[in-house]
Amino acid sequence: MEGVAKKFKYDLDALEWDDQHRRNKEGVYCYCGLDYNDGDPMLHCEGCQQLFHWADGSVDCVSCLKAKPLRGDIFYR
């Protein structure tokens, strides 16, 4: 997985999440640390609980995926 980030640019444990764990107060997500807009395709990692931008979005941060994920697919880091 050459070129794929493996570390966060921020402290994942310091983020303050809403009750549904969909938004954090700091507005940082993914390895890139960028925010996202409602409706942007995001992957939710069951391991770290973070959200990641994927190839159909404006940012491609998990290009290591070989197939388009389907709703309900589980993604692990």
Side-chain angles (χ1 to χ4, degrees), residues 14-74:
L15 300 177
E16 295 180 44
W17 291 90
D18 65 10
D19 292 338
Q20 294 82 29
H21 204 87
R22 293 185 182 162
R23 290 279 184 187
N24 61 57
K25 180 180 173 185
E26 297 77 11
V28 294
Y29 305 89
C30 194
Y31 291 120
C32 67
L34 297 176
D35 201 349
Y36 73 96
N37 298 312
D38 289 336
D40 284 353
M42 302 290 285
L43 292 175
H44 181 247
C45 176
E46 292 291 323
C48 69
Q49 298 297 304
Q50 182 55 293
L51 298 169
F52 296 88
H53 304 102
W54 63 280
D56 279 0
S58 59
V59 183
D60 181 6
C61 297
V62 288
S63 59
C64 60
L65 297 177
K66 297 188 183 346
K68 179 179 176 180
L70 301 173
R71 186 171 188 83
D73 280 354
I74 297 173

